[in-house]
Amino acid sequence: MKDKKLLNPECLIDLIENRRFGVEYQPIVSCKSQEIFAYESLARFYSANNTLIRPDLVYESLHTSPLSLFQVEYQQKKLQLSHAVDDHDIFVN
């Protein structure tokens, strides 16, 4: 079995300490009416040079430290909910 690629510890520490994460809201559109009826709130992560880091890579890397995983997920969910679009349902990943 191949080893899974993980972020190096320095990158994870930088990401956590500097809160290098954000949110992207993608509309969910009704096939019938073509109107937006909800948004999906997607976690986004960035390196120190502002390059996107895949969320699955961040979360997989954080699984080696349950407390760090909890801290990042908790802060991410607070961010996702605090900037949610008013008057629409929101789906949080």
Side-chain angles (χ1 to χ4, degrees):
M1 181 177 182
K2 263 177 44 174
D3 288 331
K4 292 182 180 180
K5 183 179 178 192
L6 300 176
L7 295 173
N8 66 51
E10 293 80 17
C11 181
L12 279 176
I13 290 169
D14 178 69
L15 187 144
I16 294 167
E17 288 181 351
N18 294 294
R19 296 182 54 145
R20 296 190 193 282
F21 44 85
V23 180
E24 178 181 337
Y25 297 95
Q26 293 187 353
I28 302 172
V29 179
S30 167
C31 292
K32 283 186 176 184
S33 70
Q34 299 298 304
E35 292 183 17
I36 296 171
F37 68 89
Y39 285 86
E40 183 175 13
S41 177
L42 303 169
R44 295 294 181 244
F45 297 93
Y46 306 92
S47 67
N49 65 359
N50 211 31
T51 302
L52 281 172
I53 303 172
R54 292 187 348 245
D56 63 315
L57 182 57
V58 172
Y59 286 120
E60 184 67 34
S61 300
L62 286 168
H63 272 90
T64 61
S65 173
L67 183 56
S68 295
L69 174 63
F70 171 79
Q71 290 174 326
V72 170
E73 279 195 309
Y74 179 72
Q75 291 300 317
Q76 185 67 44
K77 297 309 178 227
K78 282 176 48 177
L79 184 64
Q80 288 173 305
L81 295 173
S82 69
H83 295 285
V85 180
D86 289 334
D87 302 327
H88 285 89
D89 289 334
I90 185 169
F91 295 86
V92 179
N93 71 348

